[in-house]
Amino acid sequence: MANRLTKIYTRTGDKGTTSLANGHKVDKCHPRIETLGDTDELNCLLGVLIAELPAQEPLRQRLLQCQNDLFDLGGELAVADPGYTVINDAVISEMEQQIDAMNSTLPPLKEFILPGGNRAAALCHQARSVCRRAERRIVELAQQETVNQISAKYLNRLSDLLFVAARLLARQHGGEEVLWQPRKPAK
């Protein structure tokens, strides 16, 4: 691979704009940049989660693939060309199969669960929450500009995967999911 970044700072963004991969300059608060930022934050959280998992944890490989997918999704957003797509239906189908396989090992949900159970499960829930925000951002962006609709679908499915993964992680080593204990309504 050739050197991609020879200089880390360019000073070109000092006035509140940034360049997309297609060369167009946009404000740093542009919905496309906000979407990229949330996608990047999600990718960072997945990195923290992966760092918490033991090397032999099967979920690590799945989450590493998700990090690569998120980088691809970010590339789609940065190129800003409707014809440039990486995330496709095959990626969604693969993820759905993995969600189904993971979920088949879990008991049915009878109550709402709270984020927690252990550190890894809580981090997974946090990543799920950020994933939902990134999904909302991409839906908002799609109302203004053309984006790969499958990318929004990917984020929706990824949040499902993270929910199921958090349930699995909470139950590891004899742990339990934390169930919601609602208060009684005031009369």
Side-chain angles (χ1 to χ4, degrees):
M1 174 191 273
N3 290 338
R4 291 187 151 197
L5 297 173
T6 55
K7 191 170 186 180
I8 300 302
Y9 62 91
T10 62
R11 297 187 179 117
T12 58
D14 290 351
K15 294 185 180 172
T17 62
T18 192
S19 294
L20 297 172
N22 64 10
H24 291 102
K25 280 197 178 265
V26 295
D27 289 335
K28 288 189 175 186
C29 61
H30 187 281
R32 187 170 293 274
I33 303 306
E34 292 287 347
T35 306
L36 276 163
D38 287 342
T39 303
D40 183 38
E41 182 181 353
L42 172 57
N43 209 334
C44 292
L45 276 171
L46 290 182
V48 173
L49 174 57
I50 290 166
E52 286 290 316
L53 301 178
Q56 67 278 11
E57 170 62 49
L59 186 56
R60 282 178 68 94
Q61 279 309 116
R62 177 64 224 156
L63 294 175
L64 282 167
Q65 183 57 58
C66 291
Q67 283 193 295
N68 282 284
D69 291 343
L70 288 171
F71 227 82
D72 289 336
L73 193 153
E76 288 182 0
L77 292 167
V79 169
D81 175 356
Y84 179 78
T85 60
V86 179
I87 304 298
N88 57 41
D89 284 324
V91 174
I92 303 297
S93 180
E94 175 188 311
M95 188 182 295
E96 287 173 347
Q97 291 171 13
Q98 291 169 339
I99 293 168
D100 291 343
M102 290 189 310
N103 199 45
S104 71
T105 67
L106 293 167
L109 270 177
K110 295 181 180 179
E111 301 289 337
F112 288 104
I113 59 171
L114 301 178
N118 58 44
R119 181 169 170 76
L123 286 169
C124 201
H125 277 292
Q126 184 179 17
R128 176 192 51 78
S129 174
V130 172
C131 187
R132 290 286 191 201
R133 180 175 5 112
E135 179 189 3
R136 291 190 303 272
R137 293 274 196 199
I138 204 167
V139 167
E140 178 183 31
L141 177 62
Q143 292 173 349
Q144 302 168 32
E145 299 182 15
T146 303
V147 297
N148 179 4
Q149 291 299 312
I150 298 173
S151 292
K153 193 175 181 180
Y154 176 86
L155 290 171
N156 184 277
R157 217 57 90 250
L158 178 55
S159 67
D160 295 336
L161 183 139
L162 292 170
F163 178 77
V164 173
R167 291 193 68 204
L168 286 172
L169 291 169
R171 294 169 163 278
Q172 283 186 346
H173 311 295
E176 296 180 347
E177 295 174 279
V178 181
L179 301 178
W180 175 44
Q181 302 294 318
R183 292 180 186 266
K184 302 279 186 226
K187 294 184 181 190

